[in-house]
Amino acid sequence: MLALLPLFLLILCHCNNYVVVVSSLNDEGIALFSFKQSIKLDPEGSLNNWNNSDDNPCSWNGITCKQQRVVTVSIPNKKLSGFLSPSLGSLSELRHLNLRSNSLYGGLPSQLFKLKRLQILVLHGNSFSGTLPFEVGNLEYLRNLDFSHNFFNGSLPLSLVQCKRLRNLDISHNNFSGFLPVGIGENLVLLQKLDISYNAFGGLIPDDLGYLSNLQGTFDLSHNMFNGSIPASLGNLPEKVYIDLTYNNLTGPIPQNGALINRGPTAFIGNPGLCGPPLKNLCSSDSEVNPPSSLPYLPDNYPLQGGENVGGGRGLSKGTIVAIVVSDVVGICVIGLLFSYCYSRSFCCGKRKEDRGYGLEKGSGGRKECLCFRKDESESLSENAEQYDLVHLDAEVAFDLDELLKASAFVLGKTGIGIVYRVVLEDGLILAVRRLGEGGSQRFKEFQTEVEAIAKLRHPNLVTLRAYYWSVDEKLLIYDFLPNGNLNAAIHGKPGQFNPLSWSMRLKIMKGVAKGLVYLHEYSPKKYVHGDLKPSNILLQHDMEPKISDFGLGHLAHIAGGRGMVMEKHHRRQNSTSVSSEVVPTLTSVASSSAYYQAPEALKVLKPSQKWDVYSYGMILLQLMTGRSPLVQVGNSEMDLVHWMQLCIQEKKPLSGILDPSLIQETDKEEEMIAVLKIAMLCTQSTPDRRPSMRHVSDALEKLPLSCD
């Protein structure tokens, strides 16, 4: 027995030490360690440095503290498997919880909704199930709620409308059912994005959703079971919002007012009972489409001014009319004086600028004051800084900002719209990242609306926008990376670097680009015009299938402005050799200059049209056929490729003197080549009306056979 005493004392000592170690961790650390114990699988070792021997958890992976209190738990895309521990509810200062794209399961503990200061709750892309607890209404500071791509079910609790600071609500791709809570439109007036698609919501679409006047990106009710008619109140939504009501059980005429007037059919398809423009299904005589109206929607209980009976037939008295006219004249005069005053002040301020804003100016001949707004008084993103993070636009790709900025990056090229990087993440995923700039911080809403509209464009011949990042210092667009470079390099690349394109490969590229443009011109919600089509923004996949890039980029760059610094700062460690090794020199060569692809009318008309794109496409066809640059050397002079082709036709130059030398041997395709040259010359007509539409061009090309090499 005495022999066992040392062993007993050793065990006791060890246990005492263990207790001391555990007790050294503060309460928040113990709560987080309890969360770690609820994780069954951590294949990447993301929680390995969560040690109970630490004094606090502030140095742990994914944890951010302020004044030694945990404010952020962000562990996205780490393949964690387990359930959500109720202990997280004791992190009283927690503001940001991001567990996106893991394999977590089970229900949400009600303790989670005791976090009064929580602002961002992102659980996208897990396997959570069960209902959304009624206690969600306790999160009065919540701004971003993303439960998309899970297995939640049941109805939404009415208490959700108490989260009046919500700006982004995304519960798409779940099993929610029942009616939408009454009051979403009246209470959640700050919403900028509402996505409840791919659920089983039913009943009528609430009228009050038309009150969501701050929506900037998405209003997506698609793939549900809503029935009845489309409320006319939805016409009050901002016109730039992407409205999607597809694949429900909606019936009756589509209201023709406000934001609903100019929507394409793609916003309403999948509802067999709907009728009227823009659908081809005409309404019957007893259910005529609502006539267009510029009047705003008013609810039934909207108060009428003056208490007059609108239907009583009484008109305004002469005295009332005179009073209205006089007050209007006075009002116009006052507004004119205000404009004059403000202009004089702004002119004064424009003469005296300081680095950090505008100050007070005193003239030498007397006191002259400029009462100007300082720069830091203008609208900024500081109050919503946590809202602006890396935003994913596609559930198929999951990575966070830290992963992106820590990845290896190589410059692909520089253009007037910023730098393009090839970025390789740790898991091997390769992305193309375009930096836009560091200005335009007050235009986030405009940027968000535009970028989310572009992300909705999905076609086999368009590059997919996967994510974006916005901050005062940086604007990034993240796309798929295509391995075969761009068409400009394929045509004009150095011998040995690129194999000459065969005729069948060129024809495949021609047809693919035409199909992509037809989609942009005719089927995209906004009927997009590219406006800057050229070979350098036609990218090529492994199988040489073309994808058009940079559509909508000009407007985004105008919003963003300036140059960004974040990518440069994080990748400054890359040496010059590694950067230059990936540069494609043709990106900035004469062959890819935008000016040569712009239609002649671009010198007079600033707004691009679809016929601009047709002209640019014709230039690309000529390059594919001739292998020449847009500017051709003829003796001691130069002329553009279109005029060179016209000269060749006038001089009856043989086809062998026009074609790319690598095509001359494919003599059996001569008729097809001549047909393409004719199409190219039609597309590059100097008069826009004489150019065909891209639909006609695509149809003509489809008649040409596409043989395999």
Side-chain angles (χ1 to χ4, degrees), residues 13 124 218 445 630:
C13 180
H124 159 93
T218 301
K445 292 181 179 180

Side-chain angles (χ1 to χ4, degrees), residues 8-133:
F8 174 76
L9 292 174
L10 180 62
I11 294 173
L12 182 62
C13 180
H14 175 75
C15 292
N16 287 337
N17 288 338
Y18 180 75
V19 171
V20 171
V21 168
V22 172
S23 64
S24 68
L25 191 59
N26 65 13
D27 292 342
E28 292 191 328
I30 293 173
L32 287 170
F33 201 77
S34 178
F35 167 72
K36 177 182 179 179
Q37 291 176 326
S38 70
I39 300 300
K40 307 304 180 184
L41 291 175
D42 180 12
E44 298 184 4
S46 304
L47 309 181
N48 283 352
N49 76 332
W50 288 33
N51 297 318
N52 53 18
S53 59
D54 295 331
D55 294 333
N56 60 66
C58 295
S59 62
W60 294 357
N61 289 337
I63 304 301
T64 302
C65 295
K66 287 184 179 179
Q67 298 178 348
Q68 300 300 309
R69 302 299 298 274
V70 175
V71 295
T72 298
V73 177
S74 182
I75 319 171
N77 194 29
K78 298 302 181 183
K79 303 177 182 178
L80 300 179
S81 178
F83 60 91
L84 207 55
S85 172
S87 64
L88 292 179
S90 63
L91 303 176
S92 59
E93 296 295 321
L94 190 64
R95 300 178 185 178
H96 185 171
L97 177 59
N98 181 4
L99 299 174
R100 174 179 53 82
S101 302
N102 283 291
S103 298
L104 303 174
Y105 52 83
L108 298 182
S110 59
Q111 292 86 342
L112 186 65
F113 301 97
K114 294 180 180 179
L115 300 172
K116 298 281 188 175
R117 298 182 180 273
L118 196 63
Q119 299 177 13
I120 297 177
L121 178 55
V122 178
L123 302 178
H124 159 93
N126 282 279
S127 298
F128 289 111
S129 58
T131 60
L132 183 58

Side-chain angles (χ1 to χ4, degrees), residues 629-690:
S629 297
L631 199 61
V632 182
Q633 187 77 29
V634 180
N636 295 326
S637 62
E638 293 178 331
M639 65 176 62
D640 64 69
L641 189 54
V642 174
H643 286 93
W644 179 79
M645 275 296 304
Q646 293 171 347
L647 180 63
C648 291
I649 293 171
Q650 292 173 4
E651 295 179 351
K652 297 182 179 180
K653 198 169 185 176
L655 188 62
S656 58
I658 296 174
L659 294 177
D660 187 328
S662 63
L663 293 177
I664 294 176
Q665 296 181 354
E666 300 192 50
T667 54
D668 57 327
K669 306 297 181 183
E670 183 173 313
E671 291 185 6
E672 297 174 17
M673 296 177 187
I674 292 174
V676 171
L677 285 172
K678 289 181 178 179
I679 293 172
M681 295 309 294
L682 282 173
C683 291
T684 53
Q685 291 286 318
S686 58
T687 304
D689 292 340
R690 298 182 65 183

